[in-house]
């Protein structure tokens, strides 16, 4: 049982790494437009459930596509096996300023073993984001995102557990058809003392 709890706590943090990166501005892609982003990041947090401080790297791939007017859709995968899907809806599309919201879902499933017994566990994140961005020039945009995350952890070996998190991201996008995202995020627990940081950089290209 102790091993299962430890595995859940580590996976909780790993899933956090895949969930909080933004890698997009508040601009919604035009219908039929799309882009790819490939990047790396670094995550760290304070101790969790009596464990040690966590510091680890991660690799991510993201894809977005405009699906119809004022809506686009995205998929993000991390090398550790987590996946996120989301939709973004345009609220304000000004000459310089943009504001958007949406809905996202993150998922991780894994198996762990203790005392010769195998247990299947899963982590599901429901995310409600608010994106804002300002175009400094045609090639440069500043962006931010606030995301509320409702996390559900369930396992064959224990009952379900829910928790609320809030992440705040600030970043810069340089380039139009191709370029880079650079951003930093702060994650805090709303119903616990958890806190963490994440830094991401990614190369993107549109077509």
């Amino acid at each position: 049982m102790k091993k299962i709890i430890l595995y859940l706590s580590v996976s909780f943090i790993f899933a956090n790494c895949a969930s909080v990166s933004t890698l997009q501005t508040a601009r919604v892609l035009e219908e039929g437009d799309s882009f790819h982003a490939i990047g790396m990041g670094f995550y760290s947090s304070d101790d969790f459930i009596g464990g040690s401080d966590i510091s680890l790297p991660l690799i991510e791939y993201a894809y977005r596509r405009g699906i119809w007017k004022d809506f686009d859709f995205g998929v993000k995968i991390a090398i550790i096996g987590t996946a996120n899907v989301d939709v973004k809806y345009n609220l304000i599309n000004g000459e310089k300023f943009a504001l958007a919201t949406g809905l996202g879902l993150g998922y991780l499933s894994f198996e762990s073993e203790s005392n010769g017994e195998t247990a299947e566990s899963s982590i599901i994140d429901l995310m409600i984001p608010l994106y804002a961005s300002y175009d400094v020039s045609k090639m440069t945009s500043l962006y931010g995102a606030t995301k509320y995350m409702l996390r559900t952890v369930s396992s064959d070996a224990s009952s379900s557990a829910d928790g609320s998190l809030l992440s705040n991201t600030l970043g810069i996008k340089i380039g139009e058809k191709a370029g880079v995202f650079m951003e930093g995020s702060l994650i805090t627990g709303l119903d616990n003392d958890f806190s963490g940081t994440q830094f991401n950089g990614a190369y993107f290209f549109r077509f």
Side-chain angles (χ1 to χ4, degrees):
M1 186 64 182
K2 188 175 181 180
K3 289 183 179 180
I4 294 175
I5 293 174
L6 177 61
Y7 199 105
L8 278 171
S9 65
V10 172
S11 298
F12 184 102
I13 294 169
F14 274 21
N16 222 331
C17 295
S19 297
V20 300
S21 65
T22 298
L23 304 182
Q24 59 179 303
T25 71
R27 299 286 183 187
V28 173
L29 294 175
E30 296 290 336
E31 184 176 354
D33 286 353
S34 61
F35 81 77
H36 298 268
I38 302 171
M40 298 184 67
F42 187 81
Y43 172 86
S44 64
S45 73
D46 54 11
D47 62 328
F48 186 73
I49 314 183
S52 302
D53 291 356
I54 300 294
S55 296
L56 52 90
L58 64 142
I59 298 174
E60 289 185 292
Y61 164 74
Y63 172 77
R64 298 204 71 81
R65 184 176 181 85
I67 49 178
W68 59 76
K69 181 177 171 58
D70 294 330
F71 278 93
D72 65 15
F73 167 82
V75 177
K76 186 171 58 178
I77 300 171
I79 195 171
I80 55 176
T82 62
N84 296 309
V85 296
D86 75 282
V87 292
K88 185 171 66 179
Y89 173 69
N90 172 64
L91 295 174
I92 298 175
N93 188 25
E95 183 179 351
K96 293 286 188 179
F97 178 74
L99 190 69
T101 187
L103 191 65
L105 192 66
Y107 179 75
L108 168 64
S109 179
F110 58 91
E111 289 186 352
S112 56
E113 186 175 339
S114 179
N115 299 324
E117 295 184 1
T118 300
E120 185 173 343
S121 305
S122 63
I123 297 173
I124 298 175
D125 286 339
L126 176 65
M127 295 168 281
I128 302 175
L130 181 65
Y131 306 100
S133 61
Y134 181 80
D135 298 333
V136 178
S137 68
K138 189 175 181 180
M139 297 289 292
T140 305
S141 298
L142 303 176
Y143 65 91
T146 295
K147 302 173 188 174
Y148 167 77
M149 294 185 288
L150 176 62
R151 173 158 293 177
T152 300
V153 182
S154 61
S155 172
D156 293 343
S158 62
S159 57
S160 298
D162 296 332
S164 295
L165 300 169
L166 188 71
S167 72
N168 291 288
T169 300
L170 289 175
I172 184 170
K173 170 188 168 236
I174 302 173
E176 187 178 8
K177 295 294 184 181
V180 295
F181 289 106
M182 292 179 289
E183 64 183 45
S185 301
L186 176 65
I187 312 107
T188 56
L190 298 179
D191 48 15
N192 53 67
D193 294 329
F194 177 80
S195 65
T197 57
Q198 183 174 323
F199 298 93
N200 288 85
Y203 171 76
F204 74 89
F205 56 95
R206 299 179 59 172
F207 61 92

